[in-house]
C-alpha cells in the first residue's frame, strides 16, 4: 500500500435489493488532502461514506481507510478516524466540558490526556466563559466548531465531515474552514461533503457523484476548465443536469 | 400591503428572539428573509402564521391582524415549515386530499395552481409520504401548502440541505407561483439565493440588519473589495489575518476577499507584504462585493 494514500477505494459498490446506491466508485485520497465529496441529494454520498467509516458493509469492491480494510478491520477504522455530521454532533444536555470528557472517554484517551486536550481546546476556541454551560444553549456555529474539535480529540488520521456548515452564519462558516485548513496543514486528511459550492472551491480535489457513480474528480480549477464553467456551482449544475 | 410587520418583539426566557422587527411586503412580491440558524426567522414565521403571539408590536397578513383575526389568516395563507410536517403514514394523494378537505376545497378545484409541481410526484401518489426522498417531500409539502389557493405563501427554509440542482428548480417554481399573483415570504441561509428575491431583509440575532433590493444592498457596501489569491490558501489567510491594515479577510471560493482599513490603500504594498511571507503566484485585483460580503460587514459592526 502506498503510505501517502490514506483512503483507497476500488470498484466499491452497495446494493439495496436491486437498487444500486453506490455503483463501482474508484478513487484515492492522500494524506493531508482536503477532499470534497459532492453530489445531489440521493446520489449515494451518505451510503458511500457509511462504508468508508466502517458502519456499512459493501456489496462488492475494495476499500482501505487509514490502512485498514472495510470488510475485515472496521473496528480499527473507527479508532483511527473522526466523524462529524450536522445531524449528530454533541449532546445538548451536557456542558461543553462534559461533552469533551465523554467523547475523550469513548475514544479511549486517558484521564490526564482528556484534561490536557480539554484545556487546549477550550483555550483555542476561546470558550473559557461557556465551558460549564450546556451545549444546547450555544449558537449553532459554536457547536459546530466544538464538534469539529471533538472529532479531532484522538488525533485521527482522517476526519469525515458530513455537511458540517449547513445553516451556519457566513462568518462562522469561514472560521470553520480556517480550522479545516489548519488541521489539514498539520497532516490530518479531511473528507468533507457540502452543499455550499463556494466551499467546494476550498478543497484540494473534488469528486461529484451522480446516480451512484463518480462522474467527475479533479482539482476545482481543472473541473472548471473541463466543464467550461465560471465556478463550481456551474460545474455541478452541468454535471447533475446532464 | 400583503404583510405588514411593525415593531415586533419576542423573547424566550432570556433569549431575545426578535427585536423591534418592522417591514412590509407588497402584493405579488417575492420577499426573502436571509440569515443563519438562530437569527429568528422561524419565530417570525410562526408569529405571522398565527401559531405564536408576539410580546410586543403589531402585524397584519393579507389585511388581517395576526392576533384578533387569526382565523381569516389561516384561511388565506399557505405555510411550509422548515421541518417536514406532513403525515408520514398517509400516501402522497391522501395528504393532499386531507389538506384540500380541511380548507373546504378539492384537488380538482385548484389543480391548475399545483399542476407544475404535483405532476413530478404524481407517479408516486400511492407511496407513503414518509418513504419519499427529500426532494419529493419538499414538492409534496409545497403542493399541500398551495391546495387552498392562498394569497400569501410562507416558506421557512425550503432549500436547507438541498443540493444546488434541486435548489435551482425550487426557485424556478417559486418564480412561476409569483407570476400567478401569490405573495411569497421565503427564508434561507443561502446568501446566493438572495439575488433571486425582489427585496430582502438581512437578519441576524433577532435584528434586521438591512432591507432593500439585492442590487441596492450590494451597492451600499462601504469599501473597495479585492480578490486575493496565492499558491497556499492557508498561509495566505494567516498572512492576511496578521496584516496590520486589514479590515476584513474572508475566504470566497478560490479567492480571499480582502478589504483594507486605509482610504489610500495601494495593492502593491500588500503584494510586497505577501511576498515577504514567502507566498508565490500572488494576484490582487478589485472585485464586486456580494450579498454575503455585505451581510458579514453588517454583522461585524
Amino acid at each position: 500500500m502506498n503510505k501517502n494514500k490514506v483512503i483507497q477505494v476500488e470498484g466499491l459498490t452497495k446494493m439495496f435489493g436491486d437498487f444500486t446506491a453506490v455503483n463501482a466508485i474508484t478513487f484515492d485520497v492522500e494524506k493531508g488532502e482536503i477532499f470534497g465529496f459532492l453530489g445531489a441529494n440521493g446520489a449515494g454520498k451518505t451510503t458511500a461514506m457509511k462504508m468508508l467509516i466502517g458502519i456499512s458493509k459493501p456489496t462488492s469492491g475494495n476499500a482501505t481507510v487509514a490502512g485498514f480494510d472495510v470488510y475485515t478491520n472496521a473496528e480499527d477504522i473507527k479508532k483511527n478516524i473522526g466523524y462529524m455530521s450536522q445531524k449528530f454532533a454533541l449532546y445538548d444536555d451536557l456542558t461543553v466540558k462534559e461533552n469533551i470528557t465523554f467523547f475523550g472517554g469513548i475514544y479511549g484517551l486517558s484521564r490526564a490526556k482528556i484534561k490536557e486536550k480539554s484545556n487546549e481546546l477550550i483555550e483555542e476556541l476561546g470558550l473559557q466563559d461557556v465551558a460549564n454551560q450546556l451545549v444546547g444553549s450555544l449558537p449553532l456555529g459554536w457547536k459546530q466548531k466544538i464538534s469539529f474539535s471533538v472529532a479531532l480529540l484522538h488525533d485521527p488520521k482522517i476526519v469525515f465531515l458530513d455537511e458540517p456548515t449547513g445553516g451556519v452564519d457566513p462568518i462562522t462558516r469561514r472560521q470553520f474552514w480556517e480550522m479545516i485548513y489548519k488541521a489539514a496543514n498539520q497532516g490530518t486528511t479531511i473528507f468533507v461533503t457540502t452543499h455550499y459550492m463556494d466551499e467546494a472551491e476550498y478543497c484540494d480535489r473534488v469528486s461529484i457523484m451522480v446516480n451512484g457513480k463518480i462522474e467527475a474528480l479533479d482539482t476545482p480549477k481543472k473541473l472548471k476548465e473541463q466543464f467550461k464553467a465560471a465556478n463550481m456551482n456551474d460545474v455541478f449544475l452541468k454535471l447533475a443536469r446532464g | 400591503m400583503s404583510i405588514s410587520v411593525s415593531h415586533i418583539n419576542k423573547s424566550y426566557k432570556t433569549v431575545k428572539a426578535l427585536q423591534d422587527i418592522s417591514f412590509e411586503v407588497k402584493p405579488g412580491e417575492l420577499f426573502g428573509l436571509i440569515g443563519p440558524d438562530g437569527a429568528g426567522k422561524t419565530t417570525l414565521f410562526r408569529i405571522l402564521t398565527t401559531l405564536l403571539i408576539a410580546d410586543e408590536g403589531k402585524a397584519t397578513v393579507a389585511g388581517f391582524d395576526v392576533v384578533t383575526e387569526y382565523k381569516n389568516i389561516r384561511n388565506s395563507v399557505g405555510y411550509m415549515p422548515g421541518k417536514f410536517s406532513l403525515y408520514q403514514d398517509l400516501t402522497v394523494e391522501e395528504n393532499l386530499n386531507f389538506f384540500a378537505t380541511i380548507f373546504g376545497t378539492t384537488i380538482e378545484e385548484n389543480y391548475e395552481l399545483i399542476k407544475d409541481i404535483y405532476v413530478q410526484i404524481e407517479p408516486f401518489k400511492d407511496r407513503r409520504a414518509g418513504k419519499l426522498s427529500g426532494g419529493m417531500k419538499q414538492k409534496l409539502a409545497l403542493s399541500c401548502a398551495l391546495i387552498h389557493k392562498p394569497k400569501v405563501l410562507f416558506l421557512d427554509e425550503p432549500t436547507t440541505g438541498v443540493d444546488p440542482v434541486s435548489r435551482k428548480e425550487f426557485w424556478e417554481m417559486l418564480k412561476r407561483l409569483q407570476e400567478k399573483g401569490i405573495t411569497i415570504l421565503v427564508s434561507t441561509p443561502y446568501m446566493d439565493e438572495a439575488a433571486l428575491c425582489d427585496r430582502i431583509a438581512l437578519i441576524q440575532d433577532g435584528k434586521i440588519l438591512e432591507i432593500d433590493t439585492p442590487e441596492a444592498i450590494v451597492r451600499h457596501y462601504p469599501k473597495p473589495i479585492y480578490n486575493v489569491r496565492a499558491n497556499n490558501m492557508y498561509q495566505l489567510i494567516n498572512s492576511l489575518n496578521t496584516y496590520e491594515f486589514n479590515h476584513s479577510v474572508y475566504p470566497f471560493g478560490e479567492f480571499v476577499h480582502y478589504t483594507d482599513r486605509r482610504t489610500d490603500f495601494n495593492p502593491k504594498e500588500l503584494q510586497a507584504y505577501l511576498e515577504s511571507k514567502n507566498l508565490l503566484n500572488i494576484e490582487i485585483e478589485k472585485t464586486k462585493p456580494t450579498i454575503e460580503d455585505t451581510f458579514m460587514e453588517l454583522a461585524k459592526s
Side-chain angles (χ1 to χ4, degrees):
Chain A
M1 190 195 97
N2 186 333
K3 271 216 155 168
N4 283 324
K5 304 246 192 270
V6 291
I7 301 177
Q8 289 187 295
V9 178
E10 209 192 317
L12 198 67
T13 299
K14 179 80 185 187
M15 306 203 41
F16 296 109
D18 54 7
F19 174 68
T20 310
V22 175
N23 192 351
I25 58 171
T26 299
F27 64 94
D28 295 331
V29 182
E30 285 181 25
K31 185 174 188 298
E33 193 172 27
I34 303 176
F35 189 86
F37 196 61
L38 311 187
N41 299 106
K45 294 186 310 271
T46 304
T47 307
M49 202 153 168
K50 278 185 178 168
M51 292 191 277
L52 296 180
I53 63 176
I55 59 173
S56 168
K57 283 263 185 291
T59 307
S60 63
N62 295 309
T64 59
V65 175
F68 299 105
D69 187 281
V70 293
Y71 292 96
T72 54
N73 298 100
E75 288 311 307
D76 290 312
I77 290 178
K78 290 177 199 165
K79 284 180 200 143
N80 282 280
I81 62 166
Y83 175 77
M84 162 192 174
S85 88
Q86 198 198 352
K87 283 161 207 118
F88 175 76
L90 301 167
Y91 290 100
D92 275 350
D93 296 333
L94 297 182
T95 67
V96 173
K97 266 190 177 166
E98 285 165 351
N99 264 292
I100 299 171
T101 309
F102 175 79
F103 283 101
I106 292 275
Y107 288 128
L109 303 186
S110 68
R111 271 165 195 257
K113 190 79 185 165
I114 291 173
K115 205 172 170 198
E116 178 200 319
K117 284 275 182 184
S118 174
N119 290 337
E120 234 177 71
L121 193 160
I122 287 165
E123 165 105 31
E124 202 166 310
L125 295 182
L127 298 170
Q128 293 87 345
D129 294 341
V130 297
N132 292 313
Q133 274 185 31
L134 297 185
V135 160
S137 70
L138 300 178
L140 175 75
W142 290 32
K143 283 192 212 173
Q144 297 306 83
K145 284 200 264 182
I146 299 167
S147 179
F148 179 60
S149 303
V150 165
L152 290 170
L153 268 185
H154 56 303
D155 297 318
K157 295 191 178 75
I158 308 161
V159 187
F160 289 85
L161 306 172
D162 193 1
E163 281 182 48
T165 56
V168 174
D169 74 83
I171 294 179
T172 311
R173 203 151 72 75
R174 287 177 170 77
Q175 291 167 347
F176 192 89
W177 271 89
E178 287 180 28
M179 292 173 70
I180 292 183
Y181 278 127
K182 189 177 171 198
N185 212 52
Q186 289 165 351
T188 311
T189 304
I190 311 285
F191 188 98
V192 60
T193 73
T194 179
H195 284 315
Y196 290 96
M197 288 301 118
D198 61 325
E199 294 188 348
E201 308 253 9
Y202 304 159
C203 301
D204 295 315
R205 283 189 308 147
V206 168
S207 76
I208 302 178
M209 272 185 95
V210 181
N211 297 331
K213 289 185 189 162
I214 291 185
E215 293 290 359
L217 198 175
D218 216 321
T219 62
K221 190 164 179 275
K222 288 204 176 131
L223 286 175
K224 282 182 280 181
E225 285 167 13
Q226 188 188 336
F227 288 91
K228 298 184 177 59
N231 52 48
M232 284 302 293
N233 196 51
D234 291 347
V235 171
F236 193 95
L237 291 178
K238 282 189 177 176
L239 244 183
R241 275 199 168 165
Chain B
M1 286 299 151
S2 272
I3 302 173
S4 171
V5 179
S6 173
H7 306 291
I8 288 279
N9 282 284
K10 178 74 192 177
S11 296
Y12 302 109
K13 289 181 189 159
T14 57
V15 181
K16 288 180 179 162
L18 293 173
Q19 298 180 56
D20 199 26
I21 301 287
S22 299
F23 67 94
E24 287 185 328
V25 182
K26 294 171 209 150
E29 200 172 20
L30 175 53
F31 191 96
L33 277 176
I34 317 289
D37 276 23
K41 303 189 298 291
T42 300
T43 300
L44 185 55
F45 272 105
R46 293 178 64 83
I47 290 170
L48 295 178
T49 52
T50 75
L51 302 173
L52 191 69
I53 294 178
D55 298 338
E56 284 170 60
K58 273 184 77 73
T60 63
V61 173
F64 301 111
D65 184 278
V66 291
V67 180
T68 57
E69 297 170 299
Y70 69 94
K71 281 191 178 161
N72 300 69
I73 291 183
R74 289 181 190 180
N75 275 317
S76 23
V77 307
Y79 175 39
M80 183 171 151
K83 274 202 184 115
F84 183 68
S85 50
L86 300 178
Y87 295 95
Q88 313 256 5
D89 294 334
L90 296 186
T91 66
V92 166
E93 195 176 26
E94 285 167 346
N95 263 296
L96 196 57
N97 243 324
F98 176 82
F99 283 96
T101 311
I102 290 259
F103 286 106
T105 182
T106 59
I107 297 181
E108 292 72 35
E109 202 174 316
N110 292 315
Y111 190 72
E112 202 46 41
L113 189 62
I114 62 160
K115 196 175 101 190
D116 260 10
I117 305 155
Y118 190 62
V119 287
Q120 301 174 51
I121 48 172
E122 216 163 12
F124 312 98
K125 65 184 167 60
D126 295 324
R127 194 180 287 189
R128 286 182 190 200
K131 298 280 181 201
L132 296 174
S133 73
M136 287 199 279
K137 277 183 183 168
Q138 188 197 37
K139 284 171 187 144
L140 177 58
L142 185 57
S143 301
C144 291
L146 284 169
I147 195 61
H148 58 299
K149 213 174 182 188
K151 292 192 183 77
V152 185
L153 184 60
F154 291 92
L155 305 168
D156 194 4
E157 297 207 17
T159 56
T160 291
V162 174
D163 67 74
V165 176
S166 311
R167 274 168 56 195
K168 191 156 182 270
E169 285 171 0
F170 195 82
W171 278 91
E172 286 163 3
M173 285 191 280
L174 290 194
K175 286 280 177 194
R176 285 197 294 272
L177 288 174
Q178 189 191 10
E179 282 160 15
K180 290 176 180 158
I182 297 174
T183 305
I184 302 174
L185 181 69
V186 57
S187 70
T188 178
Y190 296 102
M191 304 274 156
D192 56 342
E193 293 181 346
L196 303 168
C197 303
D198 296 326
R199 285 192 307 142
I200 55 175
L202 302 179
I203 179 167
Q204 171 151 297
D205 295 334
K207 287 181 223 154
I208 289 182
L209 303 172
E210 193 168 347
I211 302 174
D212 217 322
T213 63
E215 301 77 28
I217 281 190
V218 167
R219 241 188 349 258
H220 296 159
Y221 192 80
K223 282 177 170 290
I225 186 160
Y226 294 84
N227 268 339
V228 185
R229 174 154 58 179
N231 61 325
N232 183 317
M233 191 66 158
Y234 179 60
Q235 278 171 28
L236 176 65
I237 294 168
N238 279 346
S239 303
L240 289 172
N241 274 332
T242 51
Y243 189 52
E244 60 178 320
F245 301 111
N246 78 43
H247 173 74
S248 67
V249 176
Y250 296 124
F252 254 86
E254 58 186 315
F255 301 104
V256 175
H257 278 189
Y258 174 82
T259 59
D260 199 273
R261 230 175 279 167
R262 297 163 294 185
T263 46
D264 59 342
F265 169 62
N266 182 351
K268 288 209 172 96
E269 272 179 55
L270 180 62
Q271 170 109 19
Y273 166 79
L274 292 174
E275 278 165 5
S276 78
K277 294 284 175 186
N278 297 322
L279 284 155
L280 302 169
N281 310 331
I282 299 160
E283 285 172 40
I284 303 171
E285 57 186 38
K286 219 168 169 180
T287 187
K288 289 190 183 128
T290 65
I291 301 272
E292 197 157 4
D293 288 302
T294 312
F295 187 95
M296 291 193 285
E297 181 61 28
L298 292 167
K300 212 171 121 162
S301 46

